[in-house]
Amino acid sequence: MINRVIYAFLSVGILGGALGLALAYAAKIFAVKKDERVGALEEILPGVNCGACGYPGCSGYAEAIVMEDAEMTLCSPGGAAVAAKIGEIMGAEVNVSSEKMVAQIMCRGTRETSKTKFEYDGIQDCNALHSSFGGDKVCPYGCLGLGSCIDVCPVDAIAKTEAGYLEIDRDKCISCGKCIDVCPTGVIKMIPYNARHIVACNSTDKGGVVRKYCSVGCIGCKMCEKKSPEGGFKVENFLAAIDYSAEGSRAEAVEVCPAKCIIDLDVVE
Amino acid sequence: MKGLKTFSRGGIHPHGRKNLTNKKEIVTADIPETLIVPMAQHLGAPAEVVVAAGDEIKEGMLIGKPAGFISAAVHSPVSGTVKEITDVYLANGMKSSAVVIEKEEGFIPAEKTKSDSWKSKTPQELIEIVKDSGVVGLGGATFPANVKYMVPKGEKAEYLIINAVECEPYLSADHRLMLEKASELIEGLRIISKMVEPEKVAIGIEINKPDAIEIMRKQAEAENFDLEVVPLKLKYPQGDEKQLIKAVTGREVPSGGLPIAVGCVVSNVGTVNAVYEAVALGKPLYERTVSVTGLGVKNPGNFLTRVGTPISSLLEACGGIIDNPAKVVVGGPMMGFSIYDLDTPVTKGTSGILILTDEESGSGSRTACLSCGRCVSVCPMGLNPTKMFKFVDHDDYDSAMQNNLMDCKECGCCAYACPANIPLVQGMRLGKKMARKKKVS
């Protein structure tokens, strides 16, 4: 009786050992040579798998750099620091001069502050709404507010405020640009991370027209240009824009803007 | 009812309400002082404006030239002055550039006389006339007619099928056209036959129009034209060309294919009339029949309307509308679009204008999908609407496409049948839009 148990143990043990050795041998002989740089790149990439580089996730991008000579500067969440590290691993010079950029929604118009032309009760998606007469807002340029950008943001940087408009948290934003791609009105734009101010309006209609449909829209009055001449404000097509290379103060302009559409991002409302 | 032809898969039976207008003769609508003529009245590239503000123009003059192979010419519906070139929203929610025309004082439409000179022309010359007259499919899809009639080399049109199904509820413009213009339609059929050279000509009419079936049969016989009148069982969406081909010939158009792939050319009965007017009368397409109907309108009727007429002007002709309509829909109730601006112009594709009351529009609040499968059983294309909708809802447009989203033609059977009031058709439209956007970028 006991013999049978021993035989069983022995036969299974020997068989297992032999197959194990065969497997170990095969793993050596048929080993797929993996470029170790791929592993190293995977280590230093941010790992958010946002897809902004155009490849399927961070490991896809790591492989593409090594195998397909992909550009080394495509990782927008990583920015200059990661690009430099990629260069180090690949032994190539990478020139990244651009500073970190973040997305901002250039509109603070809610259904209270901006007039609507019809009642919409369809799918809660900005692109669906935009297919009907450019959206329910009279203003064709502004944020439609249904939050398609919130759905695509890989890092939850966009949220609806209590006031009803959408806002992007600059510290969370990884500048992948997905929100910009999905937005049907083109109201989301990239600004430097260090910038403190935005002109929260996208309307190029004349002042009188804007006033009729929105109380927080830029009317192109040029007060910002006059009051903060060093701030880089420039009004074109009845819409103020900021040249962020100007380093002067913009505080005056925030104060005087009649529509209050020049926003200081550091001031929490 | 037994033995009547129809298509095999899916379909619904919506409430007809055609009795509001189907006894009303076509009345020529008053021409308003200002007309807004859009450039994107057809499928394909919008026409290019060839006039400028201040230009004096004549009725029937070219104001927009085709901008590509799939495109169509646009002509002035009146004589007058071009006030401005501007952007307007069309009934389908899309933006289009438009020529705003101020009608000249005392404008009287030109009388057109019938000519037989077309009989000596070659098929190619006739197709050119159709193209230069801006004729498009008047059933709703507004596909340029000249492209349709140009049978590709190596293909043969066995059947020319005339679509007189008018399966959308409420609408009766095509019905009235057959009753009032049967002789012109037969002439139009002769012209199209010369272009397409079919072996057989058939006309499909649903049996809720027995008088039209009768009159077309008699007229064809009287004029010695070999026309097979096919009475069809009532079922929506039989007026879609794929369903109509199935009903009349039993053939099925392959996914992504055109009717010519199964030897068919399909044309709407309204288009036949437009071809007749273009070729025999020399009149470009700038006028069409529009049913203005619904319980919200005081005197429903059928109106011969010039393209560019604001809808508000047509509603005046009907004695106005009730105070608080639930919806104003352009097109049929199944596939039409609801609009917010009554100054939206009538275009070549406008088959009807509906003023719907709360009782008719019957909208309810949306709930979760019950997985009951009614949308699947009514889909005439054999698709799975709820599955595709879920993919679209989760921004997974690739998977929606793999489930043949592009075969959906937005007939609305699924949304009509859905007990949970899910906006399925809107979802399909969104999915197609986003999938195309992705393809471009």
Side-chain angles (χ1 to χ4, degrees), chain B residues 15 29 33 71 99 116 129 134-135 169 209-210 234 238 244 332 394 424 426:
Chain B
H15 195 307
E33 293 306 314
S71 185
V99 176
D116 277 341
I129 296 174
V135 179
K209 297 180 262 294
L234 274 188
Q238 198 143 240
L244 182 61
H394 290 89
L424 289 157
Q426 203 196 2

Side-chain angles (χ1 to χ4, degrees), chain A residues 117-135 140-141 148 151-152 180-184, chain B residues 89-95 327 337-340 344 363 366 389 392-393 395 397 423-424 426-428 430 433-434 437:
Chain A
K117 45 191 181 188
F118 59 89
E119 239 173 80
Y120 176 75
D121 62 356
I123 296 177
Q124 297 295 298
D125 178 287
C126 297
N127 279 291
L129 171 54
H130 192 256
S131 306
S132 312
F133 311 99
Y141 311 96
S148 291
D151 296 342
V152 297
I180 294 178
D181 290 344
V182 79
C183 179
Chain B
Y89 279 115
L90 303 181
N92 63 6
M94 296 297 163
K95 217 176 204 170
K327 258 178 193 174
F337 295 86
S338 76
I339 59 162
Y340 72 95
T344 306
S363 50
R366 178 179 163 182
F389 184 84
V392 171
D393 212 20
D395 301 340
Y397 306 111
L424 289 157
Q426 203 196 2
M428 304 309 152
L430 173 65
K433 179 184 167 182
M434 297 309 282
K437 197 170 158 184

Side-chain angles (χ1 to χ4, degrees), chain B residues 28 31 58-61 76-79 104 106-114 277 281-284 286-287 304 306:
Chain B
T28 306
I31 305 170
K58 291 272 161 243
E59 180 190 13
M61 212 176 97
S76 176
V78 289
S79 300
E104 72 177 15
F107 167 72
I108 298 163
E111 284 285 326
K112 301 281 183 189
T113 45
K114 195 186 156 202
E277 291 188 349
L281 303 184
K283 179 184 159 197
Y286 52 73
E287 205 171 34
L304 188 59
R306 303 228 158 193

Side-chain angles (χ1 to χ4, degrees), chain A residues 234-246:
Chain A
K234 182 88 194 126
V235 176
E236 259 175 40
N237 288 328
F238 312 100
L239 176 63
I242 302 176
D243 173 6
Y244 289 104
S245 63

